[in-house]
Amino acid sequence: MPIYAYLTFNGNCREAVEFYAQVFGVEKPQIMAYGDGPPSPDHPLPEEAKDLVMHARLDINGSSLMFSDAYPGMPYVQGNSITLAYSGNDVEKLKTLFHKLQDGGKVVMDLQETFWSKCFGSLQDKFGIEWQINHDAEAPSA
């Protein structure tokens, strides 16, 4: 079975998922909020959790990313525990993705030729998620 990256946000998951769907040109995701589940008298849902994202998934370039908002009261550390690496064989598409992801974020390493890749760069997007964009001649067409 595959291992999926699961990204947790602090109340802005819906915005992040919709942003990533637009950046990567994938289908608008189905989003399940905590309030969409059946009520439980043993575990009442706090009002502030009802519209938060319980689960969403995007299929990007042959991989699935999963998303949720942190449940109220649960600890949350923004974006420093995971880096996502996107590899493709189309340099122009890689450049386009990099520039879309950097909108509102900050570049760590500009896209450039390196000893391992003819196009590599890294950035932190506006949600605090670290991305590496890498050309790989053997990667599936994106």
Side-chain angles (χ1 to χ4, degrees):
M1 289 182 88
I3 296 173
Y4 299 103
Y6 210 108
L7 305 177
T8 303
F9 293 84
N10 197 25
N12 61 344
C13 183
R14 187 177 308 272
E15 178 187 357
V17 171
E18 290 172 354
F19 173 76
Y20 295 135
Q22 181 271 324
V23 165
F24 291 101
V26 297
E27 208 173 290
K28 187 172 178 166
Q30 291 185 349
I31 297 175
M32 180 186 300
Y34 286 105
D36 293 339
S40 169
D42 296 329
H43 303 285
L45 187 65
E47 190 62 36
E48 67 269 22
K50 290 184 179 176
D51 292 327
L52 294 177
V53 175
M54 182 170 75
H55 179 76
R57 187 180 99 194
L58 292 177
D59 293 317
I60 301 170
N61 199 29
S63 296
S64 290
L65 287 178
M66 296 184 190
F67 304 83
S68 69
D69 277 310
Y71 195 79
M74 297 300 290
Y76 174 80
V77 176
Q78 181 180 343
N80 69 355
S81 61
I82 190 166
T83 297
L84 300 176
Y86 182 97
S87 291
N89 61 18
D90 180 337
V91 171
E92 289 308 310
K93 181 167 184 173
L94 296 174
K95 288 178 181 179
T96 298
L97 292 174
F98 189 89
H99 294 297
K100 286 182 178 180
L101 285 167
Q102 81 178 23
D103 183 26
K106 67 178 183 179
V107 173
V108 176
M109 180 179 171
D110 281 321
L111 278 176
Q112 59 193 275
E113 187 168 341
T114 65
F115 70 90
W116 70 86
S117 173
K118 67 180 181 179
C119 183
F120 176 84
S122 63
L123 59 90
Q124 183 183 70
D125 71 21
K126 66 183 177 182
F127 300 104
I129 302 300
E130 302 282 339
W131 289 86
Q132 296 178 22
I133 305 297
N134 184 59
H135 179 269
D136 179 353
E138 297 179 18
S141 295

